Amino acid sequence: MTHIEQPANILRQGYAPATVLSSAANYIMNRDEAFTRTFRTYVRVRETGPLHLKFWHGNSVDSTWDQGKESVGGETGGEWRIEAAYVADGGTDPDGGVVENSQVQVTFSGLAVKNVAPGESFWSDEVDLELPEGHFLAFTWTITALKPGKSVPYNVEQNLASVYETPGGHAADSGAAAFKLTDNLQLLPSFIGYRKKVSRNLVFFGDSITQGVRTARDRYEFWAARIAKGLGPDYGVWNLGSGWARSYDASAEKGWLDKAAQGDEIVIVLGVNDLDIGCRTADELLGDLNSIISGIKRRQPEARIILGTVPPFNFTGEREVYYREVNRIIRENPPEGADRIFDIAAVLAMPSPEENRIRPEYMSGKDDPHPNGLAGSAVAQAFLDWY
């Protein structure tokens, strides 16, 4: 029988999040045949030097993608196998290769191979790596899907990190020749930790706006990353932003909420996708936010909740009415259990009466209201001044 390790106390085992890159999963591989592929991802870590790394992974989807046809929040992954996994010095240029002779194998209960059961969660063993200042951490693993159909959860949004993949078992390769850059497939462990004592663990819990989607690859310009930099490494910061996520993914009280509840403080910035693709009313969204807060408090009574207003996303018509109503209530009569309110909408929005629209200089594209790197800087400064 497979031991299913619950995600409790991920942040209370002496390991802090090593990166502010989100590795939340919003999609799942669904192939017509079994496969073996290798994935290499370059991660900017919060501290370099001698690192004592440990990885936790949960084989499930965190949040719903699109209308839920392909993946739904809380859906378990299939059966798959880790054939080999390595960490390495990725150098200063994430070009598909790693620094020669820098790779260190990651093991699981002393074994290089790990069979993963549907819904299983598990830790790696600790691994030591010396990483020079300014260098990327490269994480590489070869994964086999044992049969056709759904297998490995991953993140399908625009990659914020350089990710390479290749067919077959190339995890031990240090060269770049076999690898091809991919733009919308990030497959990483759910938690990348390093041995570190921190004064407080801060969790950012949101959608693509929290994840940082549409900001520059490998630059870490999104506001969660900038806040982490401003707070410094004495604060653990876990980014659980997930593209296209909505509040009802979290209020369903599955694995994504379990992870968020690990924090000493949880910053919740959700609602854009509820009002948009989720077609929720103001009352429904507020009900889901209430459920999220009460669910976290049940799991972690001492946790402090920072609830964000819903960021502007150029809503019109009925969606705009609901957007304005939700933010009015959050500001004037916030849900029970919300300890503080961070008005992110006020930072990003146009002046009255156009508060439903994001400032044009903060848009990531002419027709894309996702906040850009400039917006990330503005939000981070406002948060740090307020916090």
Side-chain angles (χ1 to χ4, degrees):
M1 178 179 293
T2 301
H3 171 63
I4 308 297
E5 183 178 353
Q6 298 304 311
N9 298 322
I10 294 171
L11 297 180
R12 286 169 175 77
Q13 297 198 19
Y15 295 87
T19 181
V20 289
L21 178 73
S22 173
S23 55
N26 58 13
Y27 213 70
I28 190 167
M29 287 193 185
N30 189 0
R31 305 281 175 90
D32 293 334
E33 56 188 17
F35 65 86
T36 297
R37 297 190 73 85
T38 301
F39 303 89
R40 174 168 289 163
T41 306
Y42 293 81
V43 176
R44 185 72 75 187
V45 293
R46 298 196 66 199
E47 292 189 272
T48 51
L51 297 175
H52 310 288
L53 300 159
K54 202 169 186 181
F55 306 91
W56 177 89
H57 193 65
N59 186 22
S60 61
V61 177
D62 290 304
S63 65
T64 303
W65 176 260
D66 199 356
Q67 296 282 10
K69 181 180 178 181
E70 296 295 335
S71 59
V72 178
E75 179 179 0
T76 58
E79 293 182 34
W80 47 281
R81 182 169 58 238
I82 301 170
E83 306 285 4
Y86 292 86
V87 290
D89 178 353
T92 58
D93 179 19
D95 61 0
V98 300
V99 173
E100 193 77 30
N101 299 319
S102 70
Q103 287 185 284
V104 183
Q105 188 155 35
V106 180
T107 59
F108 307 88
S109 299
L111 302 174
V113 176
K114 166 67 182 171
N115 289 302
V116 182
E120 182 180 3
S121 59
F122 56 93
W123 282 96
S124 75
D125 302 320
E126 189 179 77
V127 58
D128 299 332
L129 179 73
E130 180 82 28
L131 193 66
E133 184 178 356
H135 286 220
F136 287 92
L137 172 76
F139 182 88
T140 311
W141 53 357
T142 294
I143 287 172
T144 293
L146 304 174
K147 56 187 178 182
K150 292 187 175 184
S151 57
V152 191
Y154 67 99
N155 193 283
V156 77
E157 270 285 10
Q158 168 226 347
N159 288 345
L160 289 168
S162 290
V163 181
Y164 292 80
E165 64 167 323
T166 184
H170 292 274
D173 289 12
S174 61
F179 290 91
K180 180 181 179 182
L181 188 69
T182 179
D183 191 50
N184 61 352
L185 197 168
Q186 178 187 284
L187 207 172
L188 279 172
S190 305
F191 175 76
I192 300 172
Y194 72 127
R195 200 197 306 161
K196 170 79 175 179
K197 184 177 181 180
V198 295
S199 63
R200 186 175 303 174
N201 278 301
L202 193 61
V203 171
F204 289 98
F205 194 42
D207 52 33
S208 59
I209 292 173
T210 299
Q211 183 181 350
V213 167
R214 304 290 185 268
T215 59
R217 178 183 291 166
D218 298 322
R219 295 285 296 275
Y220 292 69
E221 296 176 338
F222 46 95
W223 52 267
R226 292 182 184 272
I227 289 170
K229 184 176 181 180
L231 292 172
D234 187 48
Y235 282 75
V237 176
W238 196 10
N239 185 355
L240 292 177
S242 185
W244 236 328
R246 51 218 81 171
S247 295
Y248 60 78
D249 288 326
S251 65
E253 304 216 12
K254 302 274 179 82
W256 195 37
L257 187 69
D258 290 335
K259 289 192 281 189
Q262 309 272 327
D264 300 307
E265 287 186 311
I266 298 93
V267 182
I268 302 169
V269 182
L270 283 164
V272 164
N273 295 307
D274 297 82
L275 297 175
D276 188 15
I277 197 167
C279 297
R280 304 292 259 191
T281 65
D283 286 343
E284 287 172 329
L285 173 52
L286 288 164
D288 287 331
L289 292 172
N290 270 293
S291 296
I292 293 168
I293 293 168
S294 62
I296 290 172
K297 293 284 189 176
R298 281 199 309 277
R299 288 163 171 78
Q300 190 76 266
E302 302 303 315
R304 290 180 58 79
I305 305 294
I306 297 172
L307 179 62
T309 47
V310 180
F313 213 68
N314 295 354
F315 291 117
T316 60
E318 188 177 52
R319 303 296 114 196
E320 178 186 345
V321 173
Y322 294 151
Y323 165 81
R324 290 178 179 273
E325 177 67 4
V326 169
N327 279 349
R328 182 187 68 78
I329 291 174
I330 288 175
R331 289 171 179 134
E332 296 176 5
N333 187 27
E336 183 179 353
D339 297 288
R340 301 178 74 187
I341 302 301
F342 175 60
D343 198 348
I344 186 173
V347 181
L348 295 173
M350 293 280 288
S352 177
E354 293 188 282
E355 306 97 319
N356 58 305
R357 302 190 63 80
I358 185 172
R359 292 175 181 268
E361 66 268 27
Y362 290 160
M363 290 177 62
S364 58
K366 181 181 177 182
D367 299 312
D368 189 343
H370 281 90
N372 59 20
L374 181 64
S377 181
V379 171
Q381 190 60 58
F383 183 93
L384 292 166
D385 291 344
W386 166 87
Y387 186 74

